[in-house]
Amino acid sequence: DILKILLNELYEQTISSDLDQKSHANPGGVKFEDLRLDSLDTLMLAMNVEEKLDLELEVAEFPRNATLAEFAEYLFELKNH
């Protein structure tokens, strides 16, 4: 499950200490902009997701206003093409 991979990567990187993805009622509904990722965090997340999903991503493909579930769906479609 791609959303689970995203959540695990965010949790492992402890990107946002004020947002606990493990206990959040709807972690897929969290928007990237709410995570307050800096450019290095975003790059690390992209590299880790690329490795886990065997994809090539550009950091620009991480939409700030998308939810994690929406981005997971995008990655799913990208992986299946």
Side-chain angles (χ1 to χ4, degrees):
D1 181 46
I2 294 176
L3 179 57
K4 184 180 264 187
I5 290 171
L6 277 175
L7 293 173
N8 285 338
E9 287 303 320
L10 288 168
Y11 185 74
E12 286 176 20
Q13 285 183 246
T14 59
I15 288 173
S16 182
S17 59
D18 60 330
L19 178 63
D20 184 357
Q21 295 89 10
K22 295 288 188 185
S23 65
H24 197 280
N26 179 19
V30 174
K31 291 189 175 194
F32 270 98
E33 64 190 1
D34 295 336
L35 297 173
R36 295 189 275 290
L37 303 175
D38 64 22
S39 57
L40 181 59
D41 290 333
T42 303
L43 180 60
M44 291 298 298
L45 180 62
M47 289 170 44
N48 292 338
V49 169
E50 283 178 330
E51 184 179 324
K52 296 254 170 68
L53 298 177
D54 194 30
L55 291 172
E56 284 192 37
L57 298 173
E58 297 294 325
V59 173
E61 293 175 355
F62 282 69
R64 301 306 256 168
N65 61 348
T67 65
L68 296 177
E70 291 168 341
F71 189 62
E73 180 62 30
Y74 167 77
L75 293 173
F76 178 77
E77 291 173 12
L78 187 64
K79 185 156 178 62
N80 289 319
H81 279 92

